[in-house]
């Protein structure tokens, strides 16, 4: 049995978790900065770094207390190396290195997106080959994993990430940050009324969301010019239907071609209620592929998922070095 203390600080959540054997959560503490960034309509990197500095030791202490242990009792220190905001990442990296130095513990530098994928290991042991739909504020990717910890990007966004599109649409509707949960909720009260074109990226597993975002903007301007009152719920409905169906259609195409043993959703947008509903419905046609939906508690940024991914490196005894540092554009690799 191994206990990993994991630290996450890549964006606007300061988090620490203690995970046993990759899937038992002993504690999972997340301090979110959303209320501060809300005032600015999005994450302000410099403000985020400062808040991480203020919160990191408090969050680590709380995670240890909740798990009823001290740093001595853990076997390794995992941290998010990237991708993310560079100043934010550095806070977590330095906190992890300090603990590792003081308590002579090995370090496990971990990719944030791998963490999102491995959040699904809290539901069920992952089966390979596995397809992951990785959708967050910075990513929209289809990731093929032929085996444990091997990542091949088979589809990517040609422009914006889907979470970014949700956030921008919410901004133009004046419904605040982060946009995903708000649009998700508004869309439920909306109906078919406005028409938005589906993005075209034929013959590939790639996505595109910037055209859709611009169409929403044009729709709002057109209605304003015509003097029509804008029904925000219906705009949210139209946007969400197109965005979700484009994610689902590409994923289903990849499932049909590659026949994975498992499909997992990963990243903040995987909390979307409509996506979960449509994906579950479509996957009924593929009984040989197990669909895993990550629990809502680990969809948004957290450190439990970092501990789950780091567990693979721990088993292989693949440790980091003192030279490792934050990497804001770190890629998933084979
Ligand atoms: O994974 P995450 O917490 O942070 C990044 O790594 O980017 O994802 C945050 C993104 C934001 O863009 C947020 O608007 C989106 O996930 N999101 C959602 C929902 N909840 C969060 N998007 C659509 N529907 C949701 N329910
Ligand atoms: Zn994330």
């Amino acid at each position: 049995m191994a206990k990993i203390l994991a630290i996450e600080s890549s964006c606007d959540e300061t988090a620490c978790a203690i995970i046993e054997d990759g899937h038992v959560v002993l504690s999972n503490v997340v301090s979110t900065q959303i209320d501060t960034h809300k005032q600015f309509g999005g994450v302000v990197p410099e403000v985020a770094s400062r808040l991480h500095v203020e919160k990191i030791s408090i969050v680590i202490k709380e995670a240890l207390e909740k798990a009823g242990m001290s740093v001595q009792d853990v076997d390794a220190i995992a941290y998010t190396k990237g991708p993310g905001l560079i100043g934010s990442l550095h806070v977590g990296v330095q906190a992890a290195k300090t603990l590792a130095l003081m308590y002579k513990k090995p370090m496990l530098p971990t990719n944030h997106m791998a963490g999102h994928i491995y959040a699904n290991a809290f539901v069920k042991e992952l089966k390979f080959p596995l397809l992951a739909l990785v959708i967050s504020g910075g990513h929209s990717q289809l990731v093929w994993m032929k085996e444990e910890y091997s990542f091949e990007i088979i589809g990517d966004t040609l422009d914006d990430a889907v979470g970014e599109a949700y956030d921008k649409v919410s901004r133009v509707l004046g419904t605040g940050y982060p946009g995903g949960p708000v649009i998700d909720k508004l869309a439920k009260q909306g109906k078919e009324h406005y028409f938005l074109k589906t993005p075209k990226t034929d013959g590939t597993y790639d996505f595109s969301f910037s055209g859709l975002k611009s169409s929403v903007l044009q729709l709002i301007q057109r209605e304003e010019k015509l003097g029509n009152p804008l029904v925000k719920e219906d705009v949210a409905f139209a946007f969400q239907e197109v965005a979700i169906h484009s994610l689902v259609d590409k994923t289903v195409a990849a499932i049909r071609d590659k026949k994975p043993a498992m499909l997992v959703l990963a990243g903040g947008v995987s909390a979307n209620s409509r996506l979960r509903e449509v994906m579950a419905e479509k996957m009924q046609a593929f009984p040989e592929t197990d669909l895993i939906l990550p629990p809502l508690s680990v969809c948004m940024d957290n450190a439990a998922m970092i501990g789950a991914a780091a567990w693979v490196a721990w088993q292989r005894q693949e440790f980091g070095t003192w030279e490792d540092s934050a990497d804001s554009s770190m890629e998933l690799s084979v």
Side-chain angles (χ1 to χ4, degrees):
M1 280 208 291
K3 294 181 193 70
I4 294 175
L5 182 151
I7 294 173
E8 153 67 36
S9 69
S10 65
C11 190
D12 57 348
E13 266 87 32
T14 320
C16 181
I18 299 174
I19 305 299
E20 193 170 66
D21 287 352
H23 66 279
V24 181
V25 182
L26 300 182
S27 64
N28 183 23
V29 178
V30 181
S31 165
T32 181
Q33 309 173 354
I34 283 180
D35 282 345
T36 305
H37 297 295
K38 248 182 192 160
Q39 305 162 34
F40 306 105
V43 179
V44 183
E46 174 60 24
V47 175
S49 322
R50 286 182 197 202
L51 291 175
H52 284 307
V53 171
E54 278 176 27
K55 284 284 158 61
I56 191 92
S57 48
I58 298 168
V59 162
I60 294 171
K61 185 165 171 283
E62 201 179 321
L64 286 164
E65 278 168 8
K66 285 203 166 141
M69 54 180 64
S70 79
V71 187
Q72 252 111 6
D73 307 321
V74 305
D75 297 283
I77 312 287
Y79 64 86
T80 302
K81 178 176 165 64
L85 302 170
I86 192 69
S88 292
L89 287 165
H90 270 303
V91 179
V93 175
Q94 294 313 316
K97 282 187 173 180
T98 306
L99 291 179
L101 184 66
M102 282 180 67
Y103 293 91
K104 298 189 173 52
K105 303 289 179 187
M107 290 174 290
L108 299 163
T110 304
N111 184 297
H112 179 82
M113 305 319 291
H116 275 304
I117 294 173
Y118 275 86
N120 289 281
F122 292 118
V123 181
K124 204 170 180 183
E125 194 175 336
L126 302 187
K127 279 196 291 190
F128 302 92
L130 177 151
L131 181 70
L133 174 63
V134 182
I135 38 179
S136 70
H139 290 75
S140 300
Q141 293 179 327
L142 275 166
V143 180
W144 182 250
M145 295 177 69
K146 69 177 187 311
E147 59 199 11
E148 187 100 272
Y149 236 71
S150 144
F151 308 93
E152 185 195 346
I153 317 279
I154 60 166
D156 209 339
T157 181
L158 302 175
D159 37 62
D160 292 353
V162 61
E164 194 181 344
Y166 265 92
D167 293 336
K168 286 185 181 160
V169 166
S170 181
R171 192 180 302 171
V172 294
L173 286 178
T175 49
Y177 173 85
V182 187
I183 300 287
D184 192 356
K185 213 164 135 199
L186 269 184
K188 281 205 181 100
Q189 299 149 24
K191 57 181 180 326
E192 213 170 298
H193 171 184
Y194 300 116
F195 172 77
L196 294 169
K197 265 195 287 183
T198 302
K200 285 249 173 302
T201 51
D202 287 347
T204 67
Y205 302 129
D206 290 335
F207 304 105
S208 167
F209 293 104
S210 82
L212 176 60
K213 175 195 71 191
S214 307
S215 306
V216 171
L217 200 61
Q218 284 158 11
L219 165 76
I220 296 172
Q221 286 164 348
R222 195 180 59 227
E223 292 296 290
E224 226 168 56
K225 230 189 225 162
L226 293 171
N228 294 335
L230 191 72
V231 188
K232 288 185 182 180
E233 291 82 356
D234 295 350
V235 178
F237 178 90
F239 164 76
Q240 174 151 288
E241 284 305 300
V242 175
I244 295 310
H245 278 93
S246 113
L247 290 172
V248 171
D249 289 352
K250 294 288 171 157
T251 308
V252 166
I255 301 260
R256 196 169 285 134
D257 296 346
K258 299 180 76 77
K259 303 179 176 51
M262 194 174 253
L263 167 68
V264 306
L265 304 192
V269 184
S270 66
N272 186 273
S273 61
R274 183 70 178 137
L275 172 67
R276 287 170 167 252
E277 184 181 68
V278 179
M279 197 65 98
E281 196 184 294
K282 295 273 179 187
M283 287 307 290
Q284 281 175 8
F286 302 94
E288 65 288 355
T289 302
D290 227 355
L291 168 67
I292 309 292
L293 301 172
L296 293 179
S297 58
V298 285
C299 283
M300 302 297 274
D301 289 348
N302 65 87
M305 67 183 198
I306 302 302
W311 164 243
V312 182
W314 163 264
Q315 286 169 297
R316 296 174 179 183
Q317 301 283 290
E318 288 171 1
F319 300 122
T321 68
W322 296 110
E323 281 68 43
D324 285 320
S325 191
D327 177 357
S328 61
S329 53
M330 187 181 188
E331 303 268 3
L332 281 171
S333 56
V334 179

